[in-house]
């Protein structure tokens, strides 16, 4: 870990530094024993009491009800209930979780208010760590799919298939759907309606900030989609080929807009920061979209619980030589979507949970 730039966790408006804690226990834990694995076991009880009336006084002490998506219950319970028991013993509280298959509130009760706060903080950290392992369900996207852009993309695809299909790994199945051409700002797992509603609120709040900082300008942002680039360092072993995007006025407003959006969602706790700055790109070819005609595209390697899809790279040397400066045309950015993964709307783009227009 870089001691000058430690990992930061944002919970309920507070920023916590994540300190690694060495687990010297020889015992092996399964994934469900999430709160005790190596550097993931991080407890922080030094927190201000900002819950106010959320902590209710009862005849026997205090209680606090928390709305937590059921997908996280297994991480709270742990293998054979050991994580939950340990949290209860260390904070001197009782943690009640809805039964299997049920939704509801997680209730923390105890005789001491500080114990309630400590248990709540530990649950927040445990869930935040679990969130980092969840596959994303939603993403912030900027559609880049006007009809002229789609037409140019289809021409590009046809030309590449015609002249480069003999190159290793190149076929028509690894091209993006022209209706779904987009710029991804950031991804996040939203596991219930309350988290989706929170993401909608954050998106609307970001709109006010983007306008205040004048990142949008009048009538949106005019950009140019031109040129190709690849994600790795070997053009002969490419998994993702993308079109570069830049503003016609050569300003950094789009970069600032993207970074500001990520900042807002990271501060809310809904999104994990992957990089210092957003990589601005529009994917045109991706080997994850490759179709296996034999139906045998899934394998399981030793030690993995979940199937892993084989990913065959492709040789992009000729594509870059012939179309490295390909011009897909201009585009006017005037909307940002909260998009649902693995979905399709009536217009062919991803289903939209919410959006902001300019």
């Amino acid at each position: 870990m870089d001691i000058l730039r430690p990992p930061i966790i944002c919970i309920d408006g507070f920023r916590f530094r994540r300190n690694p804690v060495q687990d010297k226990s020889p015992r092996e834990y399964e994934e469900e024993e999430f709160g005790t694995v190596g550097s993931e076991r991080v407890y922080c009880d030094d927190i201000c009491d900002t819950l106010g009336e959320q902590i209710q006084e009862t005849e026997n002490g205090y209680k606090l009800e928390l709305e937590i998506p059921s997908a996280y219950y297994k991480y709270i319970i742990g293998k054979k209930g050991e994580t939950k028991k340990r949290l209860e013993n260390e904070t001197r509280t009782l943690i009640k979780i809805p039964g299997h298959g049920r939704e509801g509130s997680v209730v923390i009760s105890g005789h001491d208010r500080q114990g309630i706060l400590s248990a709540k903080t530990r649950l927040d950290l445990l869930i935040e760590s679990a969130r980092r392992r969840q596959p994303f369900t939603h993403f912030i996207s900027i559609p880049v799919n006007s009809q002229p852009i789609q037409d140019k993309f289809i021409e590009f695809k046809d030309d590449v298939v015609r002249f480069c299909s003999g190159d290793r790994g190149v076929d028509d199945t690894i091209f993006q759907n022209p209706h779904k051409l987009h710029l991804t700002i950031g991804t996040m797992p939203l596991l219930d309606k309350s988290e989706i509603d929170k993401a909608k609120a954050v998106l609307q709040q970001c709109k006010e900030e983007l306008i205040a900082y004048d990142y949008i300008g009048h009538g949106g942002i005019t950009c140019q989609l031109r040129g190709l680039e690849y994600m790795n360092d070997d053009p002969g072993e490419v998994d993702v080929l993308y079109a570069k995007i830049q503003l016609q006025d050569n300003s950094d407003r789009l970069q600032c807009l993207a970074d500001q959006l990520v900042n807002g969602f990271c501060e809310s706790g809904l999104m994990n920061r992957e990089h210092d700055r957003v990589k601005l790109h529009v994917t045109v070819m991706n080997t994850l979209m490759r179709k296996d005609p034999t139906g045998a595209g899934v394998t399981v390697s030793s030690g993995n619980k979940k199937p892993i899809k084989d990913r065959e790279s492709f040789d992009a040397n000729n594509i870059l030589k012939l179309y490295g400066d390909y011009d897909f045309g201009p585009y006017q950015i005037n909307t940002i979507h909260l998009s649902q993964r693995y979905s399709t709307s009536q217009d062919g783009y991803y289903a939209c949970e919410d959006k902001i227009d300019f």
Side-chain angles (χ1 to χ4, degrees):
M1 182 184 71
D2 186 347
I3 61 174
L4 298 180
R5 301 179 63 189
I8 300 297
I9 305 171
C10 296
I11 298 176
D12 292 339
F14 291 92
R15 295 169 63 85
F16 297 93
R17 180 181 61 196
R18 179 192 291 277
N19 294 322
V21 178
Q22 184 178 4
D23 187 358
K24 298 181 179 180
S25 170
R27 178 178 177 180
E28 296 293 332
Y29 294 93
E30 295 184 1
E31 182 182 6
E32 284 74 11
E33 192 67 14
F34 194 90
T36 64
V37 181
S39 63
E40 298 291 347
R41 188 180 68 183
V42 184
Y43 294 150
C44 176
D45 298 332
D46 186 14
I47 183 172
C48 299
D49 183 354
T50 60
L51 296 178
E53 295 181 356
Q54 294 182 44
I55 298 182
Q56 305 171 31
E57 191 167 358
T58 66
E59 294 182 356
N60 298 320
Y62 302 88
K63 76 172 184 178
L64 173 65
E65 296 185 9
L66 301 174
E67 297 300 324
I68 298 175
S70 59
Y72 295 120
Y73 291 171
K74 66 177 181 179
Y75 299 108
I76 299 174
I77 297 171
K79 184 180 179 181
K80 298 181 180 180
E82 292 178 2
T83 300
K84 177 175 173 289
K85 291 177 183 178
R86 187 183 65 255
L87 291 177
E88 290 175 328
N89 290 335
E90 293 177 352
T91 61
R92 297 183 179 180
T93 59
L94 179 65
I95 302 173
K96 186 176 180 180
I97 300 173
H100 181 71
R102 296 182 179 179
E103 298 285 347
S105 299
V106 173
V107 181
I108 307 173
S109 58
H111 298 291
D112 180 59
R113 186 182 181 91
Q114 184 60 36
I116 301 289
L117 290 170
S118 178
K120 195 264 184 185
T121 302
R122 298 184 187 202
L123 286 180
D124 284 341
L125 291 171
L126 188 151
I127 292 168
E128 189 277 337
S129 295
R131 173 178 286 276
R132 292 176 178 270
R133 292 192 177 182
Q134 299 296 316
F136 76 90
T137 61
H138 294 75
F139 59 103
I140 303 300
S141 73
I142 295 178
V144 188
N145 61 348
S146 65
Q147 193 58 55
I149 290 287
Q150 290 189 46
D151 292 341
K152 290 293 291 184
F153 173 79
I154 293 172
E155 290 180 14
F156 166 76
K157 175 182 176 180
D158 291 343
D159 287 345
V160 169
V161 172
R162 182 181 302 113
F163 298 110
C164 303
S165 59
D167 298 337
R168 183 186 60 80
V170 176
D171 63 58
D172 62 355
T173 66
I174 63 176
F175 287 83
Q176 175 64 283
N177 181 334
H179 294 286
K180 293 186 173 182
L181 290 167
H182 69 279
L183 191 161
T184 298
I185 303 299
T187 63
M188 67 197 103
L190 303 178
L191 302 183
D192 64 4
K193 184 179 182 300
S194 65
E195 292 194 329
I196 294 175
D197 289 342
K198 182 178 179 180
K200 292 179 180 180
V202 173
L203 182 62
Q204 296 302 323
Q205 178 61 37
C206 286
K207 179 179 180 178
E208 303 300 322
E209 296 176 358
L210 296 176
I211 293 175
Y213 283 102
D214 197 28
Y215 292 147
I216 305 302
H218 298 289
I221 299 176
T222 302
C223 61
Q224 192 76 19
L225 203 64
R226 180 172 183 173
L228 300 175
E229 191 57 83
Y230 50 98
M231 286 295 187
N232 60 320
D233 58 357
D234 184 355
E237 297 286 345
V238 173
D239 280 316
V240 177
L241 190 70
Y242 63 90
K244 295 184 286 188
I245 186 170
Q246 71 178 86
L247 271 60
Q248 290 187 345
D249 61 5
N250 292 320
S251 72
D252 64 347
R253 285 190 296 135
L254 182 57
Q255 182 69 63
C256 292
L257 178 150
D259 293 339
Q260 187 73 18
L261 282 166
V262 169
N263 289 340
F265 278 89
C266 287
E267 290 291 338
S268 73
L270 293 173
M271 185 180 294
N272 296 319
R273 190 180 302 278
E274 300 293 337
H275 306 285
D276 291 339
R277 308 205 75 182
V278 176
K279 176 70 172 178
L280 300 178
H281 69 283
V282 176
T283 297
V284 294
M285 300 173 69
N286 189 336
T287 57
L288 285 179
M289 292 182 278
R290 188 187 304 280
K291 296 179 181 178
D292 184 352
T294 68
V298 175
T299 60
V300 179
S301 59
S302 176
N304 288 320
K305 296 181 180 180
K306 297 181 180 180
I308 300 175
K309 185 176 181 179
D310 286 337
R311 188 167 186 171
E312 177 193 353
S313 64
F314 65 96
D315 185 350
N317 279 292
N318 282 335
I319 298 175
L320 293 168
K321 181 180 179 180
L322 296 173
Y323 310 105
D325 197 37
Y326 196 89
D327 190 355
F328 294 90
Y331 186 79
Q332 190 80 7
I333 294 175
N334 52 27
T335 185
I336 299 173
H337 287 208
L338 173 59
S339 300
Q340 183 180 345
R341 191 182 188 187
Y342 301 133
S343 67
T344 303
S345 62
Q346 291 184 349
D347 64 1
Y349 193 64
Y350 297 95
C352 179
E353 297 282 4
D354 198 10
K355 65 178 180 177
I356 53 179
D357 297 319
F358 313 117

